[in-house]
Amino acid sequence: MKKKNLKNPNSQKSKSKPIFYESLTRKTLIKTFIWVGIITLICNGLGFLYLMRKVKENTIKNVQTYTNVIVKKESEIFLQAEINNNAMKKILTRELKNPTFQYLDKFDDIVAKRPDGTIRNILPFNYEYVPGVFLGKNVVLTEEIKERIVDFFDIVKSYGLSWQQNFVNTYIQIPENGIVIYMPSYPWTEKAESDKIVTTDESFQITTKENNPERKTVWSSVYYDATQEDWMVSSVTPIDNEQGEHIGTIGHDILIQELQTSTLQEKINGTENIIFDREGRFIVHPDLMKEIKESDGNISINDMIDKNIPRGYDWEVYLELMKSIDIDGPIAPSVVVHSEKNQEYYVVSHIDGPDWYWVTIVPQSWLNNQVFMIARSMILVGFLSLTTIILILYGLIKNDIEKPLKELMSATETVADGNLDFQIEVNRKDELGHLAYLFNYMAQKLQMSFNSLAKSNEELESRVKRRTQELENAKEAAEEANQAKSSFLANMSHELRTPLNAIIGYGELLQEEAEDMGEEEFVEDLKKIQGAGKHLLGLINDILDISKIEAGKMELYLEHFELSKVIKEIVITIQPLIEKNNNILEVHYPDDLGFMTADVTKIRQNTFNLLSNASKFTENGTITMTIDRYTKEDRDWIKFEIKDTGIGMNPQQQAKLFNAFSQADASTTRKYGGTGLGLTITKKFTEMMGGYILLDSEEGKGTTFTIHLPAEVKDIKSEIKQVTSEISQDESSGKTSMKKILVIDDDVSTHEVITRFLANGNFEITSTTEPDKALELARKIKPNVIILDVVMPKIDGWSVLSQLKADPELASIPVIMATFLSDRSMGYTLGATDYLSKPLNQNQLKDILAKYNTISEKTIMIIDDDETTRKMMRRLLEKEDWEVVEAQNGEDGLNKVKIHAPQLILLDLMMPKIDGFQFINLLRQNLEWAKIPVIIITAKDLSEQERQNLNHYAQDIIRKGAYDRQLLLQEIHSLIEKAT
């Protein structure tokens, strides 16, 4: 072939197709066949194949025999452990069958209660000869437990000494959180932490009835024990009493370092040994011992599929190996599995006891080497023949194939460089000549395709640009709509509830004044005004609740409470509504209903909704509420059943009952009213708490709603509150001088409420509804105290606070952060008058601390999740001779306050787990801690997101534990007295 450049690739000559009649493949095969055929007949005889098969068979049999002997020897100690466990179980079952309680005095001779609350051996005791006893702080001692401990102690002492040569220890675990253990190599019970929970150990968990219903001896997974500096495995056997109760777990810990060493070292040259359990976890592997130790024995075959191991194992073959083994049946004495893919033989034997599998890996290459040693001369002849063939093929391919292919490659590179007019001259009639012709044809087609593609690209780019612009416009519109919705939901609560607060608040004030003046004819009208306001507030709350639920922002606040007390409160509250339609309410629940952990507010709301519905749609009938506790799948549940004898519903009405803004039908809405959100919210709240609601109704006969909730609701976002709300009130003593109070709140009604309350307290009160002008007003009147609303529409309280503390002239004025909640005339105050801004100003900190220099014990606690801030404050405070205690969040702070209450607390508001709002709320509920001064730490320049987070925290704490109006005003009065 020769290259030439054709000026006209579309000419008639280039389009004509020459005739190709010679076959390069045929010519090459004919030449190769003669030589390869002769060499193949000489080198490949049937004798070699027969010899290879026999050698492989004999070698595999020898490996099987060796493996069976090793496995039998290694199984002895595991079988002995099971025998020992069952022997001890038999003796203990007999001893505990008829307890005599005659050895109770011996219990006091063995153990005693330690200062840390645990029960351990009386000191001194020699752990090399005497079993150790450990009972956790939570164990409640009974005569039966004492009798059981004494029996466990005696039998462990008797048998543990006898078995110490073979086993690390002998022990019996106790379900109540305890252990009796003989371990001569380590004082386990003395080293155990006071808060140790024995029953969480795997050795105990695998013997529970849930995990071991057959009540047989089982084995733990392999683990590395730091006290022994060795690998171990545990053999454990459960003990049950005659009533089938789990009363103990007998166990042995067995060192397997020697087994691992022998597995790796005692092998036939050229082979390797591994051990894995029935779940595919490696016990021993020559290439993975480091990974096994790092994973504490939990590295499995599945974990290694995607990992690069030096030997390049195909881990999927191990999975296939496990599938070929019947893990539910024994292997007697061993099986051989061949992997064609991995070119290996696997001799598998079963280690009795822990259900492990010993696998000897016999590489097929190793077997081949045995054959090659015998047939060396044959291989040598074959090698020489193969060399001859290669030389012959090389000469043929180089002259007849390689040279023309290089010419074609050079032409291809020319075309690839963009010269699509380039053509190859075709002067051969075989396959390579045909290939050259096709190359020329391809070049022509490429030229045409590139021209068409360029045109198509221009059109596509135009369409993509137009479509991209449309998508960007749609995206911007969607973002604007979403932002509008978010802004609406954020402002709706404040804007709607504020006027309702004024209506309800003024209604209450006017009602009190009317009653004092004896104007009884106005009292009923004022009650109607309050009722209408509260009804409208309820409708707004429903709309906001359903909006929060749909936005995923509704959260649970879990409390531990006595269910019967909550039911009684609900009955008292709902009774007037029940009697409105001349209905009778019957309530049934057992005396031992017990406690429940859930969101008590949502429990009340669900129950109110269902009872309110039942009362609304029932006249002169009976409404029955039944509450009961039951167990399902080892979990306690609470059932709330509310049944009425009202109008009932047909199937069509039931189908759409739980839809938002929907009732049974239009006529029902006209007659009975309502928004149609109550049942939707009830269903959503129930599902949030992990429960479900059922409906059973028949038209004309009545309706039954049944709510099923777990007795212990789980919510990872909330902390369970088990605190008692106690609000201490200090009577304020009058002062002769007038004290200036500046009130900053966008709600005028709040100003009047505070002014009326503080009217007789020698206070000069100035109010403003414009927070942007508050700083100018504060500089003008120089107030003694500022009362600042948290949530305001234009500028929120946090921004105003930041500006106040940044102004040197105003920074020293005490500020009370407080807000009034429209819902039921309630509110919340932080309970602090001093604030610090981040980054901290040293002089400002010293000025604030100077107020507390009269404290005898100068102990201060810093609660902040930012370690850098804590360290910096510690340095400043220690220079001022303060003793500093650090806490990394609210939960940590409460725990440390319980240990030793400080004289002063520096508190950050935005923290994980328990934030600053929750911390203050919980601190004030304890009378011993309520007097501790708290200095709030806030950011100097808050971002929009941070301000939203702070407002969100404040609103959450208000809803969870807001004061009523009178208590809130008294709290503000108390803070003013402290600040002035």
Side-chain angles (χ1 to χ4, degrees):
M1 296 182 294
K2 294 183 180 180
K3 295 179 284 185
K4 64 177 182 178
N5 201 353
L6 300 181
K7 298 299 182 180
N8 184 11
N10 297 319
S11 64
Q12 186 65 31
K13 180 179 179 181
S14 64
K15 291 184 179 180
S16 61
K17 182 177 179 181
I19 299 174
F20 300 95
Y21 55 87
E22 294 182 0
S23 173
L24 174 64
T25 304
R26 185 179 62 184
K27 291 191 297 183
T28 304
L29 286 178
I30 291 174
K31 296 176 183 178
T32 305
F33 178 78
I34 299 172
W35 296 102
V36 173
I38 296 173
I39 296 172
T40 301
L41 291 175
I42 296 173
C43 297
N44 297 290
L46 295 176
F48 176 78
L49 298 176
Y50 175 79
L51 181 63
M52 178 180 289
R53 182 170 60 85
K54 294 302 292 185
V55 170
K56 288 183 179 179
E57 289 178 358
N58 291 335
T59 304
I60 291 297
K61 287 181 180 178
N62 292 336
V63 173
Q64 280 186 275
T65 302
Y66 172 80
T67 301
N68 292 336
V69 172
I70 293 295
V71 168
K72 183 176 181 181
K73 182 186 73 172
E74 300 295 350
S75 298
E76 290 177 356
I77 190 170
F78 300 117
L79 294 176
Q80 186 61 47
E82 292 188 348
I83 293 171
N84 292 349
N85 286 0
N86 289 321
M88 289 178 65
K89 178 178 180 180
K90 185 175 181 180
I91 295 171
L92 283 173
T93 302
R94 183 175 64 249
E95 291 290 336
L96 297 173
K97 186 174 183 181
N98 297 305
T100 61
F101 304 108
Q102 59 181 336
Y103 300 112
L104 296 181
D105 293 339
K106 186 175 180 180
F107 178 85
D108 296 328
D109 295 336
I110 298 172
V111 297
K113 193 167 187 177
R114 298 287 180 87
D116 61 3
T118 63
I119 298 175
R120 313 188 194 214
N121 297 72
I122 296 175
L123 298 176
F125 89 100
N126 190 343
Y127 63 87
E128 294 181 358
Y129 300 99
V130 178
V133 179
F134 172 84
L135 296 177
K137 295 187 289 187
N138 61 329
V139 176
V140 180
L141 291 178
T142 63
E143 290 185 353
E144 186 275 333
I145 292 178
K146 291 181 178 181
E147 175 79 9
R148 203 186 331 152
I149 295 299
V150 172
D151 289 339
F152 289 173
F153 181 86
D154 289 341
I155 195 166
V156 170
K157 183 177 181 181
S158 300
Y159 288 93
L161 290 169
S162 303
W163 297 335
Q164 63 176 318
Q165 295 300 325
N166 295 326
F167 305 103
V168 178
N169 52 37
T170 302
Y171 56 86
I172 303 178
Q173 295 169 320
I174 303 163
E176 290 83 359
N177 186 24
I179 188 171
V180 179
I181 180 171
Y182 174 69
M183 190 173 185
S185 60
Y186 182 77
W188 192 96
T189 57
E190 289 302 307
K191 297 294 185 179
E193 298 289 339
S194 60
D195 56 355
K196 171 67 176 176
I197 305 299
V198 177
T199 54
T200 59
D201 293 345
E202 180 193 6
S203 57
F204 180 85
Q205 287 295 319
I206 60 179
T207 62
T208 62
K209 287 193 173 183
E210 294 82 359
N211 298 321
N212 187 3
E214 298 87 1
R215 317 308 288 152
K216 63 182 181 180
T217 299
V218 290
W219 292 81
S220 71
S221 57
V222 174
Y223 58 94
Y224 186 81
D225 190 280
T227 65
Q228 301 298 310
E229 295 183 349
D230 206 339
W231 288 91
M232 300 174 67
V233 67
S234 300
S235 170
V236 288
T237 304
I239 315 170
D240 297 338
N241 60 17
E242 287 186 314
Q243 290 76 33
E245 298 171 337
H246 187 188
I247 60 172
T249 296
I250 302 170
H252 279 309
D253 290 342
I254 302 170
L255 297 176
I256 63 168
Q257 183 71 50
E258 184 177 347
L259 171 62
Q260 291 178 322
T261 302
S262 63
T263 303
L264 297 175
Q265 296 180 355
E266 296 181 9
K267 61 181 181 179
I268 301 173
N269 290 334
T271 66
E272 289 185 345
N273 299 324
I274 65 171
I275 299 177
F276 60 83
D277 62 18
R278 64 189 301 160
E279 295 181 1
R281 291 186 297 243
F282 286 110
I283 313 300
V284 182
H285 194 290
D287 295 329
L288 302 177
M289 294 310 297
K290 179 181 178 182
E291 287 82 354
I292 292 173
K293 183 174 181 179
E294 290 176 350
S295 66
D296 200 17
N298 284 322
I299 186 169
S300 67
I301 294 170
N302 282 311
D303 298 331
M304 304 308 298
I305 290 179
D306 297 327
K307 294 195 175 182
N308 185 19
I309 302 303
R311 283 194 53 203
Y313 284 117
D314 185 353
W315 298 104
E316 295 182 358
V317 173
Y318 283 86
L319 296 179
E320 295 298 325
L321 174 62
M322 290 190 64
K323 293 179 181 179
S324 66
I325 300 172
D326 182 7
I327 62 174
D328 296 323
I331 297 179
S334 60
V335 296
V336 178
V337 180
H338 179 230
S339 170
E340 290 286 351
K341 183 177 182 180
N342 227 29
Q343 293 295 296
E344 290 176 330
Y345 289 89
Y346 302 94
V347 180
V348 186
S349 298
H350 182 261
I351 298 178
D352 294 329
D355 276 345
W356 294 348
Y357 297 94
W358 176 297
V359 180
T360 298
I361 304 174
V362 183
Q364 190 166 314
S365 60
W366 180 75
L367 292 174
N368 293 337
N369 287 335
Q370 307 304 310
V371 177
F372 291 155
M373 291 173 62
I374 300 173
R376 184 176 302 173
S377 58
M378 298 178 65
I379 295 174
L380 181 59
V381 174
F383 176 75
L384 293 174
S385 301
L386 182 60
T387 302
T388 304
I389 295 173
I390 290 174
L391 292 174
I392 296 172
L393 287 177
Y394 175 77
L396 293 174
I397 293 173
K398 186 172 183 63
N399 292 323
D400 293 343
I401 298 177
E402 182 179 353
K403 184 178 178 181
L405 283 179
K406 285 183 177 181
E407 295 176 357
L408 183 60
M409 289 171 59
S410 177
T412 304
E413 290 177 356
T414 302
V415 172
D417 290 337
N419 186 6
L420 297 180
D421 294 331
F422 184 82
Q423 297 282 287
I424 297 176
E425 183 178 356
V426 181
N427 55 12
R428 297 178 59 138
K429 303 301 180 180
D430 55 16
E431 286 88 345
L432 288 177
H434 191 186
L435 182 61
Y437 168 79
L438 293 177
F439 174 84
N440 293 337
Y441 182 72
M442 176 192 69
Q444 297 174 18
K445 290 294 183 181
L446 282 175
Q447 181 69 45
M448 297 171 60
S449 298
F450 274 115
N451 293 337
S452 176
L453 182 60
K455 184 178 180 180
S456 299
N457 282 341
E458 291 178 0
E459 296 177 355
L460 181 60
E461 287 177 359
S462 176
R463 290 199 300 269
V464 168
K465 184 177 181 179
R466 185 170 60 255
R467 183 58 177 164
T468 301
Q469 185 62 44
E470 292 175 357
L471 290 175
E472 288 179 354
N473 295 339
K475 177 175 175 290
E476 292 175 359
E479 289 176 348
E480 291 176 0
N482 186 54
Q483 181 64 33
K485 177 185 176 183
S486 299
S487 300
F488 172 77
L489 292 176
N491 295 324
M492 190 175 187
S493 175
H494 188 80
E495 296 299 331
L496 292 181
R497 294 184 183 205
T498 297
L500 284 176
N501 178 44
I503 294 171
I504 296 171
Y506 280 121
E508 290 178 352
L509 292 173
L510 291 174
Q511 180 181 338
E512 292 173 1
E513 293 179 0
E515 290 174 347
D516 293 341
M517 296 170 60
E519 300 290 342
E520 296 296 332
E521 65 273 15
F522 296 123
V523 173
E524 290 300 320
D525 292 336
L526 291 171
K527 287 183 178 179
K528 292 178 181 178
I529 292 173
Q530 294 181 54
K534 291 179 180 179
H535 176 69
L536 181 56
L537 187 60
L539 298 180
I540 294 171
N541 287 339
D542 284 348
I543 295 173
L544 293 178
D545 282 346
I546 198 67
S547 298
K548 288 185 68 178
I549 291 171
E550 291 176 350
K553 296 181 179 180
M554 182 66 71
E555 296 186 4
L556 296 178
Y557 303 102
L558 304 183
E559 302 177 46
H560 191 67
F561 56 90
E562 187 174 356
L563 194 53
S564 59
K565 292 184 179 180
V566 175
I567 295 170
K568 292 176 182 178
E569 295 173 1
I570 293 171
V571 172
I572 293 173
T573 306
I574 202 68
Q575 193 63 43
L577 188 60
I578 298 293
E579 296 173 353
K580 183 178 180 180
N581 283 352
N582 298 321
N583 293 317
I584 299 173
L585 176 62
E586 296 181 357
V587 182
H588 305 288
Y589 58 88
D591 294 335
D592 58 347
L593 192 55
F595 287 79
M596 184 178 187
T597 300
D599 190 324
V600 68
T601 302
K602 291 179 175 57
I603 295 289
R604 288 195 185 100
Q605 186 168 345
N606 283 358
T607 312
F608 285 154
N609 283 345
L610 296 181
L611 288 172
S612 175
N613 268 13
S615 176
K616 182 192 299 184
F617 298 109
T618 305
E619 294 183 3
N620 302 313
T622 301
I623 300 171
T624 305
M625 180 169 66
T626 305
I627 303 93
D628 200 4
R629 179 184 289 265
Y630 68 94
T631 301
K632 179 182 178 182
E633 296 179 355
D634 297 328
R635 189 179 183 187
D636 284 352
W637 289 75
I638 306 297
K639 180 182 73 173
F640 299 82
E641 182 184 86
I642 297 176
K643 182 177 182 181
D644 63 57
T645 57
I647 62 176
M649 291 176 285
N650 58 40
Q652 291 75 21
Q653 294 171 331
Q654 295 177 37
K656 60 181 181 178
L657 188 63
F658 291 106
N659 296 337
F661 303 101
S662 174
Q663 290 192 346
D665 55 31
S667 61
T668 303
T669 305
R670 288 193 298 272
K671 181 176 181 180
Y672 296 99
T675 62
L677 289 175
L679 289 177
T680 304
I681 294 173
T682 298
K683 183 174 183 292
K684 296 289 186 181
F685 283 173
T686 301
E687 292 172 350
M688 284 178 64
M689 291 186 283
Y692 55 95
I693 184 171
L694 302 176
L695 166 65
D696 183 19
S697 182
E698 186 176 350
E699 191 170 12
K701 293 187 177 181
T703 301
T704 301
F705 288 96
T706 307
I707 293 178
H708 295 265
L709 289 173
E712 186 174 352
V713 175
K714 303 292 184 182
D715 184 11
I716 61 175
K717 296 181 180 179
S718 302
E719 297 292 332
I720 300 177
K721 278 69 179 178
Q722 303 185 46
V723 295
T724 303
S725 177
E726 299 178 1
I727 303 177
S728 60
Q729 302 180 15
D730 296 332
E731 296 184 358
S732 58
S733 58
K735 297 186 179 180
T736 57
S737 61
M738 297 290 286
K739 299 165 187 174
K740 297 180 181 180
I741 309 295
L742 174 60
V743 181
I744 305 173
D745 195 303
D746 62 309
D747 186 7
V748 177
S749 61
T750 301
H751 298 174
E752 297 193 14
V753 170
I754 295 177
T755 300
R756 289 190 184 187
F757 181 79
L758 300 177
N760 298 323
N762 294 322
F763 299 117
E764 180 182 345
I765 300 173
T766 304
S767 303
T768 179
T769 58
E770 299 179 2
D772 53 338
K773 298 181 180 179
L775 268 70
E776 180 181 351
L777 184 59
R779 294 190 191 98
K780 181 178 180 181
I781 67 174
K782 296 294 190 298
N784 298 96
V785 178
I786 295 175
I787 300 176
L788 176 61
D789 187 16
V790 176
V791 182
M792 293 181 289
K794 296 181 180 178
I795 304 177
D796 59 30
W798 307 110
S799 300
V800 177
L801 176 64
S802 178
Q803 296 175 24
L804 287 170
K805 294 304 176 182
D807 191 326
E809 186 179 353
L810 306 176
S812 61
I813 300 176
V815 179
I816 299 174
M817 296 289 285
T819 190
F820 280 75
L821 182 67
S822 302
D823 186 7
R824 297 182 293 279
S825 299
M826 307 182 92
Y828 177 78
T829 176
L830 277 178
T833 58
D834 287 321
Y835 297 80
L836 288 170
S837 298
K838 296 180 182 178
L840 295 180
N841 181 288
Q842 186 173 356
N843 295 328
Q844 184 184 10
L845 177 61
K846 289 181 179 179
D847 292 341
I848 292 177
L849 294 178
K851 301 178 183 179
Y852 306 96
N853 278 336
T854 57
I855 298 175
S856 59
E857 182 183 357
K858 297 179 67 174
T859 303
I860 189 167
M861 177 178 289
I862 303 171
I863 306 177
D864 195 313
D865 61 319
D866 183 11
E867 183 178 1
T868 303
T869 301
R870 295 201 308 270
K871 299 302 180 186
M872 185 269 292
M873 285 194 286
R874 171 184 279 275
R875 294 181 60 185
L876 294 177
L877 293 169
E878 288 179 343
K879 288 182 180 178
E880 301 297 323
D881 298 324
W882 286 86
E883 181 180 346
V884 180
V885 178
E886 293 186 25
Q888 61 186 2
N889 53 51
E891 182 182 27
D892 188 22
L894 288 173
N895 292 332
K896 291 181 177 177
V897 170
K898 293 177 183 177
I899 297 173
H900 181 71
Q903 310 321 119
L904 186 63
I905 295 176
L906 295 178
L907 176 66
D908 186 19
L909 288 181
M910 292 189 291
M911 297 182 294
K913 294 187 177 179
I914 296 180
D915 56 51
F917 296 93
Q918 294 170 314
F919 175 87
I920 294 176
N921 194 36
L922 295 172
L923 189 75
R924 292 191 304 189
Q925 292 175 7
N926 189 310
L927 294 178
E928 297 179 2
W929 307 338
K931 302 296 183 181
I932 301 175
V934 178
I935 300 174
I936 300 298
I937 304 172
T938 61
K940 182 176 181 181
D941 296 313
L942 290 173
S943 67
E944 182 63 24
Q945 183 62 40
E946 288 172 332
R947 280 195 290 271
Q948 291 178 5
N949 289 341
L950 285 172
N951 292 335
H952 175 67
Y953 295 157
Q955 291 165 358
D956 282 353
I957 206 71
I958 288 170
R959 294 186 180 90
K960 289 162 60 179
Y963 299 147
D964 65 30
R965 186 182 65 190
Q966 194 68 17
L967 288 176
L968 176 59
L969 292 170
Q970 291 176 4
E971 175 70 7
I972 293 175
H973 191 285
S974 176
L975 290 172
I976 292 173
E977 292 295 323
K978 291 179 183 178
T980 58

